[in-house]
Amino acid sequence: MKKEGLNKDKKRCTSVITDIRNFSGTFKDFQNKNSPEFLRFIENYYESQNMLAKIIDDKVHMSSTGDGLLAIFLDEDEHHKMGYAYILSAHRVLKNICAKFIKENPDASISFGIGGDSGNVWSVGKRYLQTY
């Protein structure tokens, strides 16, 4: 019996997650200094990846993971190519963003991680909330 409001449609896709390393400590340090520099870094981190993903594929689902970003490439035929292009491009962009931040804030220690996977996902939810 199918539950009301629950939609489980299996799709093939590629998901990529990036996260900021040493997020909590860095955030706390800049918060204690009353400095907006780390907030600008985070804004740049999210904006650049969002823009990059939308350039690579208009069928991408983007979601925040707290100190990271989840991109799910849903193109049935090309999802793996789109995801791989995103991983390579995001690595270059994030490397530059982190290097610039460290150059401007020599006491800071910040980096990032990237992981990707291709396979099946299930769409769960309807109306107001759609998650994968």
Side-chain angles (χ1 to χ4, degrees):
M1 183 170 126
K2 189 174 179 179
K3 292 183 180 180
E4 183 69 27
L6 188 61
N7 177 15
K8 290 190 176 185
D9 296 323
K10 184 167 66 169
K11 291 184 178 190
R12 302 229 6 107
C13 74
T14 296
S15 61
V16 179
I17 191 165
T18 67
D19 74 324
I20 300 171
R21 303 273 168 86
N22 197 25
F23 175 86
S24 297
T26 305
F27 181 74
K28 190 174 190 176
D29 289 346
F30 279 82
Q31 189 177 32
N32 288 340
K33 294 178 197 175
N34 201 23
S35 171
E37 292 300 314
F38 191 59
L39 294 177
R40 285 191 205 112
F41 167 83
I42 294 169
E43 186 176 274
N44 192 12
Y45 175 88
Y46 283 113
E47 282 181 5
S48 61
Q49 288 183 85
N50 191 43
M51 192 169 24
L52 181 62
K54 300 285 183 188
I55 289 169
I56 290 172
D57 187 3
D58 61 353
K59 295 178 185 171
V60 64
H61 170 83
M62 302 294 287
S63 180
S64 171
T65 63
D67 66 341
L69 199 62
L70 172 65
I72 303 175
F73 295 89
L74 297 165
D75 186 297
E76 287 291 323
D77 299 320
E78 303 286 322
H79 63 86
H80 56 289
K81 293 176 186 175
M82 303 298 182
Y84 187 63
Y86 178 73
I87 288 171
L88 293 175
S89 301
H91 184 275
R92 184 167 191 118
V93 167
L94 295 177
K95 181 179 172 185
N96 291 338
I97 289 171
C98 288
K100 181 179 185 272
F101 182 76
I102 290 170
K103 184 177 181 180
E104 294 171 354
N105 303 278
D107 294 339
S109 173
I110 200 82
S111 63
F112 64 94
I114 297 179
D117 190 27
S118 285
N120 292 324
V121 294
W122 289 263
S123 176
V124 180
K126 283 188 177 181
R127 294 188 220 142
Y128 302 111
L129 179 64
Q130 183 75 25
T131 59
Y132 292 90

